[in-house]
Amino acid sequence: MTDNLKTVAPIEEFDWDAYAKGDVYSKENKEKLTESYDNTLSKINDKEVVTGTVTSMNKREVVVNIGYKSDGVVSMNEFRYNPELKVGDEVEVYIESQEDKKGQLILSHKKARASRSWDRVNAALENNEVIKGYIKCRTKGGMIVDVFGIEAFLPGSQIDVKPIRDYDIFVDKTMEFKVVKINPEFKNVVVSHKALIEEELEQQKKEIISKLEKGQVLEGVVKNVTSYGVFVDLGGVDGLIHITDLSWGRIQHPDEVVRLDDKINVVILDFDDDKKRIALGLKQLTPHPWDAMDDSLKVGDIVKGKVVVIADYGAFVEVAAGVEGLIHVSEMSWTQHLHSAQDFMKVGDEVEAVILTLDREERKMSLGVKQLKPDPWDNIEEKYPVGSTHTATVRNFTNFGAFVEIEEGVEGLIHISDLSWTKKIKHPSEVTEIGAPIKVQVLEIDKENRRLSLGHKQLEENPWDVFETIFTAGSVHEGTILEFVDKGAVIALPYGVEGFATPKHLVKEDGSQAQVDEKLEFKVIEFNKDAKRIIVSHSRIHEDAQGGGSDESRKGKRSGKKENQSSTMAIPVMEKTTLGDIEELAALKEKLDNQKVAAFKKEAKAKANKEEEAKVAEAEVKDEPKIATEAEETVENKTEETKSEE
């Protein structure tokens, strides 16, 4: 022991005073020890990003060792984007403060990510990298996604290849995305999840398209329904079923057949060279209704159906699903008056019809409704014989007459010349109007062409038969000058009749010319019943009074040529209203009718005895001048009474 101590060399310059005070380290040693200790710790600065290691974690916090004298604590919320975080993982953190009031190291993973996020986001866009993001919330038009600590926008159209109806189901989910757009100026980032799905679908699409063939049957999902058709997803490839290929029958909208998200089998009808447009069919998977139609159905059979389409020219009736027939408007009613199909039926009506034509090869059928009723023209001659009187309805006007309908399917024409005996009609609207009732008499029947010739004036006796006995040549009547025309003047005579006088026959006794509205005496110098013309003269009256002689002697003195010229002078026909409501004329007509009845009775008796027939005939010849004289006397008496009353 003593020997060992002898070998220990004494420490030079040992500070015994420091040792006495308990300080065993020298100043230099202390500096060395301090330096050595400092080298074991990381040198960190505030506001910088460093890499640390997760040492422990719970539901609320993550403890990170960055090699500093104390560990830092980071909120678990900052690691929501990375649910797979575990102890031992290296993470980047941002040093907010080396020590707080409690001496705790303050770190932030979110800020560390934000400081590096733009570099990583730009790198992800350039490298087409798939990144993960946490969907924080919903916003207008899409979602807000946390990507590397940056709030990126996920448009609703970029969530999935299918339309999204409920956005809320994606909130709080971590999904993979691709960066599709960056705006550095406004710090905006747009991401897409649909792009990832489309890449997968593109591979499937190429595989499906390479195997497409016409007539191939595939299963698909209804992706979209429009007014013109249905889009079907065939597993990454979309095809269109046009509305006409959905059903053999007529439909108004595709949703009558399919619904959104329905799984259906479809057949490939056609596709373009690039196979980008695929035409699909649904009805082609079922037999055509015309092929399944009853073979016993034939022309003349009565069928029932529903009106599915209507147009001006007719209506299409569906007699079975996919089997339609056309009812032309001419086959809806026996009437010949033109109508529109809408006047007889409307869409949705249930109707009965007769099959008129049936072409199974062309798949065409024509139907008729009017055939269910009897044709009124079959017994037209018995129902509406010539001379019969009926009440009709005015349907249409033309310049030459009026078309009227006696009953449905029975129409006829009243010629303009058969509307009135006395009035010159320029247009049928002067007498009646469309839709108004009018009495007619059947004049002629053309059954083959389904035409009736009707008359209205024939319901009254021809007043010119009576005028013939009143306005005899040489008779004098009071008249009023109505107007002057090219070759003379129109004279208003009794009973509403008009006559005509040339200028030379309008010279008064004092040599002056008669004027309009002047009332004078006129002598009948010509009466033409067929032409409905009466020529009168005022000059003849005072010429006869001055001894000008009778008409016969005057005619003898005139040259035949001159007389012929005056007789052939073009005189306009003047007509006026009917005389049915004039009491005097009615009485005269009644008297003439009675005379005709008496004459007919005499003829009946004459048939029994030839000798008596001859005697009766002679008596009638003798009596005719008396009858005419009596009629003239009656008219003259009425005229004198009228004058006396005036």
Side-chain angles (χ1 to χ4, degrees):
M1 183 71 178
T2 306
D3 294 336
N4 291 336
L5 292 174
K6 289 179 179 179
T7 59
V8 176
I11 300 174
E12 296 179 358
E13 297 180 2
F14 183 77
D15 190 354
W16 291 100
D17 293 333
Y19 178 76
K21 295 178 181 178
D23 189 0
V24 296
Y25 295 101
S26 65
K27 185 177 181 181
E28 293 179 358
N29 289 336
K30 186 181 289 187
E31 290 178 355
K32 289 179 180 180
L33 290 173
T34 301
E35 182 181 357
S36 176
Y37 176 75
D38 289 340
N39 290 334
T40 62
L41 300 176
S42 298
K43 293 182 179 179
I44 61 174
N45 298 313
D46 291 345
K47 314 300 181 186
E48 70 176 359
V49 177
V50 297
T51 301
T53 304
V54 177
T55 57
S56 65
M57 54 188 296
N58 55 36
K59 293 181 179 180
R60 295 177 58 188
E61 296 174 337
V62 176
V63 179
V64 180
N65 178 15
I66 62 172
Y68 194 56
K69 62 181 180 180
S70 63
D71 293 337
V73 178
V74 181
S75 173
M76 190 65 178
N77 289 334
E78 297 187 22
F79 293 95
R80 287 181 301 180
Y81 74 95
N82 187 8
E84 298 177 358
L85 184 69
K86 62 184 181 296
V87 174
D89 288 349
E90 290 186 350
V91 294
E92 290 182 335
V93 291
Y94 177 83
I95 301 173
E96 294 189 22
S97 177
Q98 296 183 29
E99 288 186 8
D100 61 2
K101 294 180 180 180
K102 297 181 180 179
Q104 179 68 50
L105 175 64
I106 307 301
L107 305 176
S108 172
H109 178 63
K110 181 178 179 180
K111 290 184 178 181
R113 292 174 63 213
S115 64
R116 302 281 179 90
S117 59
W118 280 105
D119 294 336
R120 299 183 64 181
V121 165
N122 283 297
L125 178 62
E126 292 174 3
N127 301 327
N128 199 25
E129 180 185 350
V130 178
I131 60 176
K132 287 185 178 181
Y134 172 76
I135 299 178
K136 297 175 63 176
C137 62
R138 177 179 176 179
T139 187
K140 183 179 180 181
M143 315 290 288
I144 298 299
V145 182
D146 185 347
V147 178
F148 303 138
I150 296 176
E151 289 189 347
F153 177 61
L154 173 64
S157 60
Q158 295 297 316
I159 298 176
D160 203 337
V161 292
K162 297 183 293 184
I164 302 300
R165 298 179 184 84
D166 185 9
Y167 285 46
D168 294 332
I169 61 175
F170 295 95
V171 177
D172 292 332
K173 282 189 176 182
T174 300
M175 300 173 63
E176 291 183 334
F177 302 97
K178 272 193 172 184
V179 180
V180 294
K181 187 177 181 181
I182 295 176
N183 189 334
E185 182 179 355
F186 297 99
K187 301 292 184 181
N188 290 337
V189 179
V190 180
V191 296
S192 171
H193 179 68
K194 178 182 176 181
L196 298 175
I197 301 175
E198 287 178 339
E199 287 183 359
E200 296 178 4
L201 293 178
E202 190 65 27
Q203 298 299 325
Q204 299 177 13
K205 185 176 181 180
K206 290 180 180 178
E207 184 178 353
I208 293 173
I209 287 178
S210 63
K211 298 178 181 179
L212 283 182
E213 294 180 2
K214 292 182 181 180
Q216 184 179 7
V217 178
L218 300 174
E219 184 183 62
V221 179
V222 177
K223 182 178 180 181
N224 192 17
V225 179
T226 67
S227 60
Y228 56 86
V230 176
F231 288 94
V232 179
D233 183 2
L234 302 176
V237 180
D238 290 346
L240 172 65
I241 308 175
H242 195 268
I243 187 171
T244 56
D245 292 315
L246 281 170
S247 172
W248 290 114
R250 290 182 184 264
I251 57 174
Q252 300 298 320
H253 197 276
D255 58 13
E256 298 177 22
V257 181
V258 296
R259 293 285 187 276
L260 207 60
D261 297 330
D262 283 354
K263 286 187 177 181
I264 57 175
N265 289 327
V266 292
V267 60
I268 297 176
L269 302 179
D270 198 5
F271 48 79
D272 59 9
D273 295 336
D274 298 331
K275 297 183 180 180
K276 292 182 178 180
R277 294 182 179 180
I278 304 173
L280 306 176
L282 181 64
K283 71 180 184 181
Q284 287 78 6
L285 296 175
T286 58
H288 198 288
W290 274 88
D291 298 333
M293 192 170 60
D294 189 357
D295 295 334
S296 62
L297 206 63
K298 61 185 183 302
V299 173
D301 288 350
I302 298 176
V303 293
K304 292 183 179 180
K306 183 173 72 172
V307 178
V308 290
V309 176
I310 199 159
D312 290 339
Y313 59 85
F316 289 92
V317 177
E318 188 177 55
V319 297
V323 179
E324 295 178 4
L326 172 64
I327 305 177
H328 194 269
V329 66
S330 62
E331 303 298 339
M332 292 182 178
S333 172
W334 288 111
T335 180
Q336 297 175 5
H337 184 60
L338 294 178
H339 288 280
S340 176
Q342 289 90 338
D343 296 336
F344 297 98
M345 53 188 67
K346 60 182 182 297
V347 174
D349 285 353
E350 299 285 343
V351 297
E352 278 189 346
V354 177
I355 299 177
L356 303 181
T357 62
L358 181 62
D359 189 341
R360 293 178 183 271
E361 293 183 0
E362 295 292 330
R363 293 173 176 171
K364 293 181 180 180
M365 181 190 303
S366 63
L367 307 173
V369 174
K370 71 180 184 181
Q371 288 77 8
L372 297 174
K373 299 178 182 179
D375 187 353
W377 282 87
D378 289 342
N379 60 345
I380 192 71
E381 295 173 341
E382 292 78 16
K383 195 171 183 180
Y384 302 104
V386 174
S388 59
T389 302
H390 310 278
T391 300
T393 302
V394 180
R395 292 299 184 195
N396 193 20
F397 286 149
T398 64
N399 291 331
F400 55 83
F403 286 97
V404 299
E405 186 179 60
I406 300 178
E407 67 165 273
E408 182 180 334
V410 180
E411 295 184 356
L413 171 66
I414 307 175
H415 195 270
I416 195 169
S417 62
D418 291 317
L419 286 170
S420 174
W421 285 112
T422 59
K423 188 176 181 181
K424 186 176 182 180
I425 307 299
K426 296 181 180 179
H427 194 272
S429 59
E430 299 175 18
V431 177
T432 184
E433 60 183 13
I434 293 177
I438 186 172
K439 287 190 175 182
V440 295
Q441 185 179 90
V442 180
L443 304 180
E444 186 180 349
I445 299 175
D446 185 355
K447 186 175 181 179
E448 183 178 352
N449 295 315
R450 304 172 81 92
R451 294 176 181 173
L452 283 181
S453 177
L454 306 173
H456 176 64
K457 72 180 184 181
Q458 286 77 6
L459 297 174
E460 297 180 355
E461 188 176 347
N462 188 353
W464 286 88
D465 293 337
V466 180
F467 295 157
E468 188 177 17
T469 63
I470 299 174
F471 298 99
T472 57
S475 61
V476 178
H477 307 274
E478 186 179 53
T480 304
I481 300 175
L482 294 179
E483 60 178 340
F484 281 93
V485 292
D486 292 341
K487 296 182 179 181
V490 179
I491 313 300
L493 298 174
Y495 308 114
V497 182
E498 292 180 353
F500 181 79
T502 58
K504 70 176 183 178
H505 289 294
L506 294 173
V507 179
K508 294 192 287 187
E509 189 173 0
D510 58 2
S512 62
Q513 190 78 13
Q515 301 299 321
V516 176
D517 294 334
E518 195 169 353
K519 188 178 291 185
L520 301 169
E521 294 288 334
F522 290 91
K523 187 175 184 179
V524 178
I525 58 177
E526 183 183 345
F527 180 88
N528 189 329
K529 182 175 72 173
D530 296 334
K532 298 182 179 61
R533 182 175 62 205
I534 302 175
I535 299 177
V536 296
S537 171
H538 173 68
S539 302
R540 288 285 180 88
I541 295 177
H542 58 77
E543 286 176 1
D544 293 343
Q546 293 174 2
S550 63
D551 293 339
E552 289 77 5
S553 60
R554 187 177 295 105
K555 289 179 182 178
K557 294 178 181 179
R558 292 176 182 171
S559 64
K561 184 177 181 180
K562 202 171 194 178
E563 185 65 20
N564 291 336
Q565 289 177 352
S566 63
S567 63
T568 57
M569 185 181 297
I571 306 299
V573 177
M574 301 302 166
E575 300 173 343
K576 205 61 177 173
T577 56
T578 58
L579 310 174
D581 56 350
I582 301 176
E583 296 181 0
E584 292 84 353
L585 185 57
L588 180 59
K589 289 170 62 179
E590 183 178 358
K591 184 175 180 179
L592 291 175
D593 290 341
N594 293 336
Q595 291 173 352
K596 289 181 181 179
V597 171
F600 291 146
K601 288 181 179 180
K602 290 180 181 181
E603 285 185 20
K605 292 179 181 180
K607 289 181 182 179
N609 193 337
K610 291 184 179 180
E611 294 179 358
E612 292 180 2
E613 181 181 2
K615 293 179 181 180
V616 172
E618 292 177 0
E620 288 179 353
V621 172
K622 294 178 181 180
D623 290 343
E624 282 180 358
K626 294 180 181 179
I627 294 171
T629 303
E630 290 176 2
E632 291 178 0
E633 290 175 354
T634 302
V635 174
E636 289 177 359
N637 292 335
K638 294 292 183 179
T639 304
E640 290 177 0
E641 290 175 5
T642 303
K643 290 181 179 180
S644 62
E645 289 177 0
E646 292 177 353

